[in-house]
Every structure is written in structure tokens, then in C-alpha cells.
Amino acid sequence: MDEAKEKKELLERAQQLCSGREYCVSEINSLLGRWGTTDEATKAEIIARLKEERFIDEVRYCSAFTRDHFRYNQWGRMKISMMLKAKKISETDISAGLKAIDGDEYLDLLRKIIVTQQKKIKAKNRFDLKGKLLRHALGKGFESHLVYDVINSLFRD
């Protein structure tokens, strides 16, 4: 098979994939590698074409990733940001994508997570309980200052 025909087929396959759901550049790059493309110039050309035709948009990908992982996995901004960085997405695109989370909805979810976890935890004392709640919320990727505020407000009431 000649090179031009192979590029065309790879591009069409990638376009078909990208029309089904959002992908970032690093995911498409690794997919092209799995499909047998070893030439970096070919990969770059296909990715450039996908970007040009708006099949790939990193900000759009970040927004979709953020919404999904916030709503369904109940992750905080820190964890979402780390996962996006692992996919080699720029800080600017990540920041733009994180704006998909509503501030009030974010705090409501954090409160819900802490209250739900509080019911499940067996602790020796209040200090131990606060520590366990803090570790749980931080593990979910929520910012420490917000977690402290929510935990303290729960124990004040």
C-alpha cells in the first residue's frame, strides 16, 4: 500500500473515532502508534489535520473530561488537573477546561462527600474523625483550604 493511501485511511479512521467522542492529542498519537504508524511526521500531519478540521480540540476535551470526572467519579479540581497533565495537555487548556465546574455545585459535592463519608467512618475521637475525612476528600482531589472550611463548618453546626 502506498504512503498517501495509508495516511488517508489513518486519517479517516481517526476522524471516525473523534466524531464518536472527545480525544486529546496524546490519545490520538498513541492510537496511531498502535495502528502501526511509526513515522512521527505522519502522526504530526494527521493530528494537525484533525485539529484544523476541529475533530480534536484540547479545551473542548478538557471541559468534557472535567464535567464527566466531576459528576460521575466525584473528583476535585486537583485530581482532574493532574490527570489532564498526565495526558500532556497545556496548563492554559486545563484552566479553561476546569471552568466547566460551577463553584456552588463544587462545594455542594464536597459537602455531600464529607457527610456521606462521616457516616461510614468509625473514629476514636473528633480529631481522628476530622483527619480521616480530610484524607478522604484530599484523595478525591479537592483543595485543602476548601476541605478544611467544609469540615470545620460541619463540626461547628
Side-chain angles (χ1 to χ4, degrees), residues 6-115:
E6 185 181 348
K7 274 185 195 177
K8 187 176 186 291
E9 285 180 15
L10 287 169
L11 178 65
E12 287 172 358
R13 194 171 171 188
Q15 286 172 334
Q16 190 175 16
L17 216 64
C18 291
S19 63
R21 76 169 184 91
E22 294 294 335
Y23 284 90
C24 66
V25 172
S26 65
E27 288 173 337
I28 293 297
N29 199 17
S30 68
L31 276 172
L32 289 170
R34 275 188 274 166
W35 293 341
T37 312
T38 53
D39 182 33
E40 292 301 317
T42 302
K43 286 181 184 180
E45 189 179 321
I46 290 171
I47 288 171
R49 183 92 183 270
L50 290 170
K51 280 181 167 181
E52 181 185 307
E53 295 174 2
R54 309 259 309 138
F55 280 98
I56 298 177
D57 184 337
E58 299 267 279
V59 174
R60 194 175 64 213
Y61 175 82
C62 288
S63 295
F65 185 93
T66 299
R67 274 191 306 277
D68 288 351
H69 286 81
F70 172 69
R71 290 214 175 93
Y72 303 117
N73 297 21
Q74 298 184 332
W75 287 0
R77 288 185 188 110
M78 303 299 289
K79 189 166 187 171
I80 292 170
S81 179
M82 282 180 7
M83 296 308 279
L84 289 170
K85 283 178 192 168
K87 292 177 181 282
K88 300 177 183 125
I89 296 175
S90 74
E91 286 287 333
T92 331
D93 293 343
I94 292 172
S95 296
L98 287 174
K99 290 179 181 163
I101 301 175
D102 176 58
D104 293 334
E105 192 179 348
Y106 190 75
L107 285 174
D108 289 343
L109 177 65
L110 176 58
R111 267 188 217 96
K112 188 182 110 190
I113 287 171
I114 290 174
V115 168

Side-chain angles (χ1 to χ4, degrees), residues 140-153:
K140 286 276 202 180
F142 288 90
E143 296 90 330
S144 57
H145 67 280
L146 295 175
V147 176
Y148 288 128
D149 291 347
V150 169
I151 289 173
N152 288 332
S153 74

